[in-house]
Amino acid sequence: MQKIEHIGIAVKNLQESNSLFEKLLGRSHYKTEKVASEHVETSFFRTGQSKIELLQATHPDSAIAKYIEKYGEGVHHVAFAVTDIYAEMERLRKEGFRILNETPKKGADNKLVCFVHPKSANGVLVELCQEISD
Amino acid sequence: MQKIEHIGIAVKNLQESNSLFEKLLGRSHYKTEKVASEHVETSFFRTGQSKIELLQATHPDSAIAKYIEKYGEGVHHVAFAVTDIYAEMERLRKEGFRILNETPKKGADNKLVCFVHPKSANGVLVELCQEISD
């Protein structure tokens, strides 16, 4: 794990939250992206070498919609940058972590991603993400 | 806000969680610290230019004990580094954020800290922290 790549925050209304985080962080989001496969629309803010990713559900079946229904808005996941996601998944499986994906999948922001079940990580939904090289 | 200074994670058993996060992050914690005023014992891991802070309550009145009772273990707060905490508090108050401290207080890791109420920050308990110069 190289660094905190981003913190994912579940929000109800992306436009309102963009405005709120602009005020909080003192800077604008630099991009938005829809991830159709995950039924989410996202926006990104830079902070140091990490990012804040806001996530709004675009469908009631989205994990974000279900999260908000259960817990309300808030921190949804913490993502760490890795250089070799396959090796990290193998390493974590051997250490006893429950990986939610059989193989990495394409996530937002041009990344290969996988998730570690929060029950095996102190209640934290951990994402691993690796930049996809062009 | 310069960067994510740390992510604070509420845990029930610091020793067990130190072992878990060692496996997750692939590195050991580099220090532990008791903050008597907050009734917590903490440990810190480095990850890039940020830290992971694990927090265990040392008293049932601790905010961490109450958090775990209500939500279970998980991400408790997100802390951002600032260079002038007084100016940032003033700026955020003017932007309509609810600051939980009248004035900054001494937190863990040689920092002056204050908190923004999660109800005014999309469900995220936001900490501002400024390094105390010697």
Side-chain angles (χ1 to χ4, degrees):
Chain A
M1 311 271 192
Q2 302 173 290
K3 63 172 183 180
I4 297 169
E5 212 285 329
H6 66 269
I7 297 175
I9 297 171
V11 307
K12 289 178 184 169
N13 182 313
L14 197 61
Q15 205 175 340
E16 286 177 15
S17 294
N18 276 338
S19 164
L20 187 79
F21 277 83
E22 251 182 59
K23 291 176 192 166
L24 181 69
L25 299 172
R27 65 177 64 188
S28 300
H29 67 283
Y30 66 94
K31 73 168 176 177
T32 59
E33 183 181 349
K34 277 194 184 180
V35 187
S37 59
E38 301 290 324
H39 302 301
V40 291
E41 186 165 2
T42 66
S43 70
F44 288 87
F45 293 78
R46 289 191 202 284
T47 174
Q49 64 178 199
S50 305
K51 300 162 193 161
I52 299 293
E53 177 189 26
L54 305 183
L55 301 113
Q56 181 202 298
T58 55
H59 191 280
D61 282 348
S62 150
I64 295 303
K66 289 173 186 169
Y67 181 90
I68 287 179
E69 202 180 311
K70 199 167 173 185
Y71 303 104
E73 293 180 302
V75 174
H76 177 259
H77 64 266
V78 177
F80 293 94
V82 299
T83 46
D84 182 345
I85 195 168
Y86 293 91
E88 272 297 296
M89 286 169 79
E90 184 59 21
R91 185 184 73 78
L92 291 178
R93 276 198 192 102
K94 281 186 184 159
E95 291 281 21
F97 290 93
R98 188 174 149 204
I99 311 290
L100 287 166
N101 314 85
E102 193 59 42
T103 55
K105 58 182 178 175
K106 176 87 168 63
D109 201 30
N110 197 39
K111 299 277 193 299
L112 272 181
V113 307
C114 75
F115 288 90
V116 179
H117 197 296
K119 280 199 179 161
S120 70
N122 253 144
V124 182
L125 177 59
V126 170
E127 179 182 332
L128 308 184
C129 53
Q130 179 187 339
E131 188 86 28
I132 298 171
S133 44
D134 297 321
Chain B
M1 309 269 193
Q2 301 172 293
K3 62 172 183 179
I4 296 170
E5 213 284 329
H6 65 269
I7 298 175
I9 297 171
V11 307
K12 288 179 185 169
N13 182 314
L14 197 61
Q15 205 175 342
E16 287 177 14
S17 294
N18 276 337
S19 165
L20 186 80
F21 275 84
E22 252 183 60
K23 291 176 189 166
L24 180 69
L25 299 172
R27 67 177 62 188
S28 300
H29 67 283
Y30 67 95
K31 74 168 176 178
T32 57
E33 184 180 348
K34 276 194 184 178
V35 187
S37 59
E38 300 290 325
H39 303 300
V40 293
E41 188 166 358
T42 66
S43 69
F44 288 87
F45 294 76
R46 289 191 201 284
T47 176
Q49 64 177 198
S50 306
K51 300 164 194 160
I52 299 292
E53 176 188 28
L54 304 183
L55 301 113
Q56 181 202 296
T58 54
H59 191 281
D61 283 347
S62 150
I64 296 302
K66 290 174 186 168
Y67 181 89
I68 288 179
E69 201 181 311
K70 198 167 174 186
Y71 303 105
E73 294 179 302
V75 175
H76 177 259
H77 63 267
V78 177
F80 294 93
V82 298
T83 46
D84 182 344
I85 194 166
Y86 294 92
E88 273 298 295
M89 287 169 78
E90 185 57 23
R91 185 183 73 79
L92 291 178
R93 276 197 194 104
K94 279 185 185 159
E95 291 282 20
F97 291 93
R98 189 174 149 203
I99 311 291
L100 287 166
N101 314 84
E102 193 57 43
T103 55
K105 56 181 176 175
K106 176 88 170 61
D109 200 28
N110 197 38
K111 299 277 193 298
L112 273 181
V113 307
C114 76
F115 288 89
V116 179
H117 197 294
K119 280 199 179 158
S120 70
N122 253 145
V124 182
L125 176 59
V126 170
E127 180 182 332
L128 308 184
C129 52
Q130 178 186 339
E131 188 88 26
I132 299 172
S133 45
D134 296 321

